[in-house]
């Protein structure tokens, strides 16, 4: 541990992702490709900034940098179940209170 921080914990300003998990808040396709090849799908959470938080357009693609869903959608080696896990099911498993809240809201 360096500076009293757990090197296995991914930290961002707004949230903490549990150890062993990673999110897709990566702003280029090669980074998301590598993430999905190295990290097991059950340990990947979809992550993005609030639309407009990163106010830049990638000059190579013409898309906004913060449009991270398109990077996951472009992972051709993922099947529908893998995508559902990344976009929703993994977060529901890892954050059970979120799962409870969403289920209550759905039934209301």
């Amino acid at each position: 541990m360096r500076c009293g921080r757990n090197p296995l914990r991914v930290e961002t300003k707004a949230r903490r992702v549990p150890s062993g998990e990673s999110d897709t808040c990566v702003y280029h396709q090669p980074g998301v490709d590598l993430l999905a090849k190295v990290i097991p799908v059950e340990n990947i959470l979809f992550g993005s900034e609030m639309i407009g938080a990163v106010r830049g357009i990638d000059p190579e693609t013409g898309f906004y940098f913060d449009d991270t869903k398109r990077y996951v959608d472009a992972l051709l080696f993922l099947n529908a179940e893998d995508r559902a896990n990344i976009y929703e099911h993994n977060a529901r498993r890892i954050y059970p209170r979120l799962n409870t809240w969403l289920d209550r809201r759905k039934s209301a």
Side-chain angles (χ1 to χ4, degrees):
M1 269 194 238
R2 197 171 79 186
C3 301
R5 293 185 181 175
N6 181 345
L8 298 178
R9 181 174 294 279
V10 177
E11 293 185 38
T12 66
K13 292 178 184 176
R15 68 192 177 283
R16 286 185 155 216
V17 177
S19 295
E21 311 300 331
S22 187
D23 69 29
T24 62
C25 203
V26 178
Y27 296 115
H28 64 338
Q29 191 65 55
V32 175
D33 292 348
L34 180 62
L35 173 78
K37 289 176 183 173
V38 174
I39 305 293
V41 169
E42 62 271 10
N43 292 350
I44 300 174
L45 305 176
F46 177 72
S48 73
E49 301 292 349
M50 177 180 75
I51 297 295
V54 179
R55 295 185 181 160
I57 295 177
D58 183 340
E60 293 180 22
T61 66
F63 291 100
Y64 285 92
F65 282 111
D66 59 3
D67 181 8
T68 57
K69 184 178 182 294
R70 69 186 178 89
Y71 300 129
V72 177
D73 288 344
L75 297 172
L76 301 178
F77 56 88
L78 296 181
N79 60 37
E81 183 180 352
D82 291 338
R83 288 180 206 290
N85 285 331
I86 290 172
Y87 289 133
E88 178 182 357
H89 301 150
N90 293 341
R92 284 177 171 261
R93 177 178 45 83
I94 292 166
Y95 299 107
R97 289 175 50 191
L98 171 64
N99 191 43
T100 302
W101 183 80
L102 289 171
D103 286 345
R104 263 193 245 137
R105 189 169 177 219
K106 189 178 191 178
S107 63

